[in-house]
């Protein structure tokens, strides 16, 4: 292993992600959060860790296998990063186990929600579970023995399994068998009101039904994480859709990168699993909690409103609501003035989905074009697009079939759209199309007009209810012309275009953002930069922000996840504050605000209404967003929309709120009251948004 010197100016991306997941896990222990919501955060932390191993750890292992020892810009080689991860992850597992086993389980029990062992069930409950086993479980279970005639079976990615040792009482022969826990029945099986037993406990208690005449010596649960990446040779593929489908089939057999086992697993079974999966002991994580805590999502279906968040029903944007009451289309509203919507405080279904639905139904609409990155399962938007094509409109959709872990869903949507007569493009070679753009062309009588939606979040109705995002619907001619050029570039063979209004990656966005940072730097202590995004992990951007801080510029960063920038370090970043806001909604919007972005030598730029520049869009400050994705940021010009963004930022930067702040020693400190989860900026934003959209009385 090559020895390298760690660069203390930067934080490592992978370790910063682990710090983020620790913050998520802390929510499972927050006394001010309802119990079932706390259990949900255990589930989220668990599934986050799955993806971390499938993607990030797998990529580092691939580099080791390939003999790559090139350090990242913080100075760590792949081997050094894996070594640091191997120290951090077991500590995180201990925190997760403590949060769930030691705290949540007894607190839930006291509240009337129990996850019990088989041995703790009553005779009545066992009778019910016996019936469930015979009717729903036994018919679909398939034990797979390992012996000279039966090689070690393939273990699929993230599948929960039982490892079983059995012995023949007549011959004394001992055998190992693997039993997959299918997902065709619930993981948490109800045995009586408010009481559940894990599926593997029921199966484990009934192993004699599967290994008739054998002696079951012991059994333990285990789970394997595999490399989740797709390797598509796009330049060589004749058909990108077919190539992705083939890689999806191959991905099932990717290299194992982690083995999760119950903490009480025996050495004999563990040694066999490690050997057969071609892993090392350091690839094993031991758990006191049940493996795969995503099963806790199931508890959210319980009719226990006292153990959940009080619902915050989304409001319909006031101008859209008024148009609906007057039976006027959204196009009339937008033609008067652009509409900005803030989800999920403001309804996604009554704004974005309705915009596309009306476009599909409106005989004046001639064409619809849009990008789809993660559409989700049952999609009202996709149904609208199909209906539009069926009605003879020209519909073109760029479906990004390389969106990680949504590849299979997106492939299916692409096929359905094609069958419905939609022109489907599968993305650009070498790039992922991550931008969120809809372009509708409508004959308004006086002229053909382009209506454009540009947002920060995916066109996914499910995530729109839990992800915080912002979008704008406008018929501004310059934005419309830029959007048309963008789609020509995405669907055709046109070269990259000089956009008059939009900031578009990968060609221009990096340079444009750097120019804005450097321009603000020239104002020294009078300068101010506010950035709200998911991640900051680009060396050039971090260096530019450091330079701005050293010049005296005040920099406020709201970063939910990865942050490779150090904050508050004297002589380097003392003017930079980094906050992370976590809560019931996933903070997903990207907002960039520069106090003097429109100021030039002789005053304000011609046509600008203020000195400030406000941008929203799809791009984080990461190399992948700036170099390898099609991203779009759009300027926000209207004073009311800017005031809304200012208010959203002010709530998150206020003193005394619940948040996490990055300290000069690189730790994240929980701010605000510790005995309650308030004041919280998301609740403040919701109350304020409702007030803004509620008509005055009297």
């Amino acid at each position: 292993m090559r020895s390298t010197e760690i660069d203390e100016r930067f934080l490592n991306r992978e370790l910063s992600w682990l710090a983020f997941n620790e913050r998520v896990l802390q929510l499972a222990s927050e006394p001010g959060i309802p119990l079932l919501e706390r259990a949900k955060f255990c589930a989220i932390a668990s599934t986050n860790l799955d993806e971390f191993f499938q993607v990030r750890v797998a990529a580092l292992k691939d580099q080791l296998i390939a003999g790559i020892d090139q350090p990242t810009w913080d100075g760590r080689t792949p081997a050094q990063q894996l070594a640091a991860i191997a120290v951090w992850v077991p500590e995180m597992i201990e925190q997760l186990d403590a949060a769930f086993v030691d705290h949540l389980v007894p607190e839930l029990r006291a509240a009337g929600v129990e996850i019990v062992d088989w041995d703790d069930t009553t005779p009545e409950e066992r009778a019910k579970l016996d019936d469930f086993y015979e009717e729903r479980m036994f018919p679909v279970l398939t034990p797979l023995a390992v012996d000279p005639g039966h090689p070690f079976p393939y273990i699929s990615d993230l599948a929960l399994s039982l490892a079983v040792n059995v012995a023949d009482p007549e011959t004394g022969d001992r055998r190992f068998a693997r039993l997959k826990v299918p997902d065709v029945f619930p993981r948490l099986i109800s045995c009586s009101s408010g009481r559940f037993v894990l599926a593997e406990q029921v199966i484990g208690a009934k192993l004699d039904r599967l290994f008739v005449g054998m002696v079951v010596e012991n059994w333990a649960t285990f789970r394997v994480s595999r490399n989740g990446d797709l390797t598509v040779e796009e330049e060589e593929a004749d058909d990108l859709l077919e190539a992705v489908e083939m890689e999806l089939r191959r991905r099932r057999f990717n290299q194992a990168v982690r083995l999760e086992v119950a903490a009480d697993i025996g050495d004999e079974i563990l040694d066999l699993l490690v050997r057969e999966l071609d892993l090392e002991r350091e690839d094993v994580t031991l758990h006191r909690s049940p493996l795969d805590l995503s099963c806790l999502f199931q508890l959210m279906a319980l009719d226990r409103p006292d153990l959940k968040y009080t619902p915050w029903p989304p409001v319909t944007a006031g101008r859209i609501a008024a148009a609906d009451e007057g039976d006027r289309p959204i196009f009339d509203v937008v033609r008067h003035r652009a509409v900005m919507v803030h989800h999920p405080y403001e309804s996604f279904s009554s704004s974005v989905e309705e915009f596309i639905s009306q476009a599909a139904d409106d005989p004046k609409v001639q064409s619809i074009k849009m990008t789809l990155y993660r559409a989700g399962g049952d999609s009202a938007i996709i149904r609208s697009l199909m209906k539009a094509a069926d009605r003879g409109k020209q519909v073109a959709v760029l479906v990004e079939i390389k969106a990680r872990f949504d590849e299979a869903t997106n492939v299916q949507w692409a096929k359905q759209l094609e069958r419905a007569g939609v022109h489907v493009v599968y993305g650009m070679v070498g790039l992922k199309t991550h931008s969120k753009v809809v372009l509708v062309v409508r004959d308004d009588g006086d002229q053909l007009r382009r209506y454009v939606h540009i947002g920060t979040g995916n066109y996914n109705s499910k995530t729109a209810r839990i992800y915080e995002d912002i979008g704008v619907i406008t018929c501004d001619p310059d934005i419309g012309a830029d959007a048309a050029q963008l789609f020509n570039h995405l669907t055709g063979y046109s070269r990259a275009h000089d956009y008059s209004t939009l900031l578009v990656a990968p060609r221009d966005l990096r340079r444009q953002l750097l120019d804005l940072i450097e321009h603000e730097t020239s104002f020294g202590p009078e300068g101010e930069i506010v950035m709200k995004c998911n991640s900051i992990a680009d060396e050039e951007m971090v260096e530019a922000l450091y330079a701005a801080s050293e010049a005296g510029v005040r920099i406020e960063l709201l970063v939910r996840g990865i942050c490779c920038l150090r904050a508050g370090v004297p002589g380097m970043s003392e003017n930079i504050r980094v906050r992370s806001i976590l809560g019931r909604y996933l903070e997903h919007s990207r907002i960039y605000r520069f106090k003097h972005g429109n100021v030039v030598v002789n005053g304000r730029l011609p046509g600008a209404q203020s000195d400030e520049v406000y941008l929203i869009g799809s791009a984080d400050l990461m190399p992948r967003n700036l170099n390898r994705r099609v991203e779009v940021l759009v300027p926000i010009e209207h004073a009311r929309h800017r005031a809304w963004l200012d208010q959203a930022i002010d709530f998150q930067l206020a003193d005394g709120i619940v948040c996490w702040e990055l300290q000069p020693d690189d730790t994240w400190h929980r701010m605000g009251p510790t005995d309650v989860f308030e004041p919280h900026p998301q609740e403040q934003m919701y109350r304020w948004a409702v007030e803004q959209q509620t008509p005055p009385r009297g």
Side-chain angles (χ1 to χ4, degrees):
M1 180 181 78
R2 188 171 79 176
S3 176
T4 62
E5 186 173 337
I6 305 301
D7 191 333
E8 300 295 342
R9 289 167 54 79
F10 309 109
L11 302 180
N12 178 261
R13 171 190 163 138
E14 316 307 345
L15 302 185
S16 181
W17 184 93
L18 288 170
F20 157 67
N21 204 42
E22 276 195 346
R23 299 196 295 279
V24 174
L25 184 51
Q26 286 179 45
L27 297 176
S29 301
E30 282 282 348
I33 295 179
L35 275 175
L36 290 181
E37 305 289 349
R38 286 169 54 192
K40 183 181 71 176
F41 283 116
C42 279
I44 292 171
S46 174
T47 55
N48 281 352
L49 204 54
D50 289 343
E51 186 170 331
F52 179 71
F53 274 91
Q54 290 172 290
V55 179
R56 305 308 307 173
V57 172
L60 291 170
K61 286 178 171 285
D62 281 348
Q63 291 178 51
L64 276 188
I65 293 169
I68 297 171
D69 64 352
Q70 182 68 32
T72 50
W73 46 288
D74 63 285
R76 288 175 171 83
T77 63
Q80 288 173 315
Q81 293 177 77
L82 285 169
I85 291 167
V87 172
W88 197 319
V89 167
E91 295 175 358
M92 185 177 292
I93 298 298
E94 287 182 14
Q95 294 171 31
L96 182 59
D97 285 345
F100 181 69
V101 176
D102 300 335
H103 298 287
L104 272 171
V105 167
E107 289 182 58
L108 284 167
R109 183 187 307 121
V113 178
E114 294 186 79
I115 300 175
V116 300
D117 291 336
W118 174 266
D119 292 340
D120 295 326
T121 55
T122 66
E124 294 80 9
E125 289 173 333
R126 289 193 185 185
K128 179 180 177 181
L129 292 169
D130 287 344
D131 290 342
F132 185 88
Y133 177 83
E134 292 297 332
E135 294 172 10
R136 296 279 306 279
M137 303 178 85
F138 181 72
V140 295
L141 295 175
T142 306
L144 298 173
V146 176
D147 59 30
H150 300 86
F152 189 83
Y154 171 75
I155 311 295
S156 53
D157 182 38
L158 301 184
L160 182 66
S161 300
L162 269 61
V164 186
N165 276 332
V166 298
D168 188 324
E170 295 182 3
T171 65
D173 289 345
R174 301 176 69 249
R175 288 286 182 263
F176 171 86
R178 179 258 179 154
L179 186 61
K180 180 178 179 178
V181 179
D183 55 10
V184 294
F185 43 74
R187 175 82 183 285
L188 293 175
I189 300 171
S190 174
C191 55
S192 60
S193 179
R195 283 168 57 91
F196 300 87
V197 178
L198 288 158
E200 59 266 32
Q201 289 256 332
V202 178
I203 296 169
K206 302 287 185 181
L207 288 174
D208 59 325
R209 290 278 286 112
L210 292 164
F211 301 95
V212 178
M214 298 291 110
V215 176
V216 177
E217 296 182 332
N218 49 55
W219 63 272
T221 52
F222 72 96
R223 188 168 176 257
V224 176
S225 300
R226 295 186 178 275
N227 188 326
D229 212 1
L230 290 185
T231 304
V232 181
E233 300 296 336
E234 297 180 57
E235 297 284 357
E236 300 175 12
D238 294 326
D239 185 325
L240 185 58
L241 184 68
E242 185 178 302
V244 168
E245 288 186 290
M246 182 176 295
E247 285 303 314
L248 282 170
R249 290 191 290 271
R250 288 178 181 167
R251 183 164 71 181
R252 296 173 52 244
F253 301 98
N254 279 356
Q255 175 192 8
V257 294
R258 174 178 64 152
L259 172 63
E260 298 171 85
V261 297
D264 58 357
I265 193 171
D267 285 339
E268 181 183 8
I269 289 179
L270 181 56
D271 288 341
L272 182 146
L273 292 173
V274 168
R275 181 176 67 252
E276 293 292 346
L277 292 166
D278 195 21
L279 291 169
E280 305 292 336
R281 275 294 183 115
E282 54 263 34
D283 299 316
V284 178
T285 56
L286 302 169
H287 301 252
R288 288 192 293 129
S289 302
L291 304 186
D292 184 15
L293 285 177
S294 67
C295 61
L296 298 178
F297 285 123
Q298 221 182 298
L299 296 178
M300 296 305 293
L302 289 174
D303 185 19
R304 290 295 304 272
D306 55 315
L307 302 182
K308 303 178 193 177
Y309 287 133
T310 302
W312 294 346
V315 294
T316 295
R319 292 169 59 223
I320 293 178
D324 185 53
E325 288 177 9
D327 203 25
R328 293 186 298 118
I330 287 177
F331 301 103
D332 285 0
V333 178
V334 175
R335 197 156 56 246
H336 174 68
R337 173 165 60 83
V339 173
M340 192 175 78
V341 281
H342 195 174
H343 316 301
Y345 310 111
E346 296 180 293
S347 169
F348 180 79
S349 61
S350 67
S351 56
V352 178
E353 287 186 345
E354 183 64 18
F355 169 60
I356 297 171
S357 175
Q358 289 186 20
D361 290 332
D362 192 334
K364 296 180 181 179
V365 168
Q366 298 183 351
S367 70
I368 304 172
K369 299 180 181 181
M370 77 178 298
T371 59
L372 278 177
Y373 192 72
R374 300 189 194 277
D378 183 24
S379 173
I381 285 177
I382 287 183
R383 291 196 300 272
S384 292
L385 294 172
M386 293 177 179
K387 180 166 56 172
D390 186 57
R391 295 187 174 186
K393 303 182 193 302
Q394 184 185 38
V395 184
V397 180
L398 190 145
V399 180
E400 183 48 76
I401 56 175
K402 295 169 289 180
R404 184 179 282 126
F405 299 123
D406 273 342
E407 299 97 341
T409 300
N410 286 6
V411 163
Q412 291 306 311
W413 280 133
K415 290 180 173 180
Q416 287 193 40
L417 286 165
E418 281 189 324
R419 285 195 291 269
V422 174
H423 300 293
V424 179
V425 179
Y426 305 125
M428 300 188 72
V429 173
L431 299 173
K432 284 185 180 179
T433 303
H434 188 247
S435 55
K436 327 297 182 185
V437 186
V438 177
L439 171 63
V440 173
V441 177
R442 185 175 189 264
D443 185 351
D444 287 337
D446 58 332
Q447 67 178 85
L448 282 181
R449 194 171 272 111
R450 298 182 178 108
Y451 294 84
V452 181
H453 173 269
I454 297 176
T456 67
N458 299 308
Y459 295 110
N460 183 317
S461 58
K462 182 179 179 181
T463 58
R465 291 191 288 271
I466 54 175
Y467 284 22
E468 177 271 341
D469 275 302
I470 298 171
V472 63
I473 307 174
T474 179
C475 60
D476 178 275
D478 292 333
I479 293 176
D482 280 356
Q485 287 290 347
L486 174 68
F487 278 106
N488 288 342
H489 180 53
L490 293 176
T491 62
Y493 285 101
S494 65
R495 290 193 174 275
H497 175 72
D498 288 329
Y499 299 96
S500 65
T501 302
L502 301 182
L503 286 69
V504 180
R507 197 185 90 157
D508 300 319
L509 181 56
R510 174 184 289 278
R511 183 68 256 161
Q512 289 166 322
L513 286 176
L514 286 172
D515 285 347
L516 284 164
I517 296 171
E518 291 164 6
H519 181 64
E520 201 66 36
T521 302
S522 69
F523 290 88
E526 297 299 314
E528 182 181 288
I529 297 171
V530 177
M531 295 181 168
K532 179 182 181 297
C533 55
N534 296 274
S535 302
I536 296 180
D538 183 84
E539 181 179 10
E540 196 173 14
M541 292 292 168
V542 171
E543 290 281 23
L545 291 170
Y546 282 163
S549 172
E550 290 178 36
V553 177
R554 178 171 169 251
I555 301 171
E556 299 280 7
L557 303 177
L558 295 161
V559 185
R560 173 175 56 87
I562 297 167
C563 182
C564 296
L565 171 148
R566 299 186 64 199
V569 179
M572 182 173 73
S573 60
E574 65 257 43
N575 291 311
I576 301 177
R577 178 169 64 160
V578 181
R579 279 189 167 184
S580 178
I581 307 292
L582 303 175
R584 74 164 72 186
Y585 297 149
L586 184 144
E587 292 287 333
H588 193 248
S589 68
R590 291 87 168 182
I591 306 170
Y592 300 95
R593 187 179 78 188
F594 300 89
K595 184 177 180 181
H596 298 94
N598 283 329
V599 177
V600 290
V601 175
N602 296 318
R604 191 178 293 165
L605 284 171
Q609 299 300 306
S610 78
D611 292 346
E612 292 181 298
V613 164
Y614 293 70
L615 304 166
I616 67 164
S618 58
D620 291 310
L621 299 187
M622 302 182 75
R624 71 185 188 190
N625 299 96
L626 301 172
N627 301 341
R628 302 188 299 276
R629 290 185 172 186
V630 178
E631 305 276 11
V632 172
L633 298 184
V634 60
I636 299 300
E637 303 287 0
H638 197 278
R640 290 188 181 181
H641 298 163
R642 290 179 166 206
W644 187 290
L645 296 180
D646 286 338
Q647 184 61 75
I649 290 168
D650 288 347
F651 281 138
Q652 301 207 352
L653 294 180
D655 293 334
I657 64 163
V658 173
C659 66
W660 281 257
E661 282 194 6
L662 182 59
Q663 304 300 301
D665 65 357
D666 308 331
T667 60
W668 289 87
H669 181 62
R670 161 70 159 74
M671 311 293 287
T674 56
D675 56 336
V676 293
F677 202 62
E678 56 186 35
H680 196 280
Q682 290 181 349
E683 181 168 6
Q684 293 173 324
M685 187 70 218
Y686 174 71
R687 304 296 176 202
W688 183 82
V690 170
E691 185 180 300
Q692 299 305 301
Q693 305 299 8
T694 302
R697 295 181 181 178

